[in-house]
Structures are given as C-alpha cells and as structure tokens.
C-alpha cells in the first residue's frame, strides 16, 4: 500500500501499474487502491493500514513524521533513518 501511495504522490504510473497487482494479491482491498488512485483517503482502513497511510502521506507531503498520537507499537518506525 505504501508503494502505491508513493506512486500516486509522485505521479509514477509505471510504479503504480507494476505494484498494484502485487498489492491486490497480498490482500489490499480494491476500494482502498481505487481511493488512493483518486487521491482520496480510503474509508474503512484497518488500524495498521491507517497508521501506514498516515505516516506515508505525512512523510511524502511534509518531509517528516511527528505524530505523537502513534500507538506505542508504531513509534519505532519514527526513529532516525527508518
């Protein structure tokens, strides 16, 4: 999902087309991929998908991730170089 978010943010159609089949095969729901493709926040994200979506979009748009509300299990993802 994060690769698809990145492909959408950077308008990289090749990356989108290359990774979409793998994401769907791995279990990403089509409606989530469609929302990302349209530039919308997908509805009905699972908790881990929501964390990944929020972190990816914040990093790609703001060039940082400073979310103090991240669940404790996601905080290690914020460390330098992650």
């Amino acid at each position: 999902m994060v690769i698809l978010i990145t492909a959408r943010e950077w308008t990289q159609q090749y990356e989108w087309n290359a990774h979409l089949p793998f994401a769907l095969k791995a279990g990403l729901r089509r409606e989530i991929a469609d929302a990302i493709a349209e530039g919308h926040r997908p509805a009905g994200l699972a908790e881990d998908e929501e964390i990944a979506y929020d972190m990816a979009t914040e990093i790609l748009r703001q060039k940082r991730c400073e979310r103090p509300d991240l669940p404790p299990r996601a905080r290690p993802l914020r460390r330098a170089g992650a």
Side-chain angles (χ1 to χ4, degrees):
M1 182 176 79
V2 172
I3 292 173
L4 295 180
I5 293 167
T6 303
R8 171 64 176 102
E9 288 290 320
W10 291 350
T11 318
Q12 295 297 316
Q13 196 62 38
Y14 175 83
E15 289 300 320
W16 178 272
N17 291 333
H19 289 92
L20 178 61
F22 295 113
L24 295 173
K25 187 175 181 180
L28 184 69
R29 295 189 323 265
R30 171 58 81 167
E31 59 268 20
I32 291 175
D34 290 346
I36 293 168
E38 296 168 4
H40 304 294
R41 180 185 177 83
L45 293 171
E47 182 183 12
D48 60 337
E49 292 171 329
E50 187 173 312
I51 291 167
Y53 181 90
D54 290 346
M55 287 184 71
T57 55
E58 185 172 348
I59 290 167
L60 290 165
R61 295 174 185 169
Q62 307 299 323
K63 311 299 185 235
R64 66 182 182 280
C65 184
E66 299 179 4
R67 295 200 39 203
D69 61 326
L70 286 175
R73 64 185 168 79
R75 288 189 187 129
L77 299 175
R78 288 190 343 188
R79 72 180 190 282

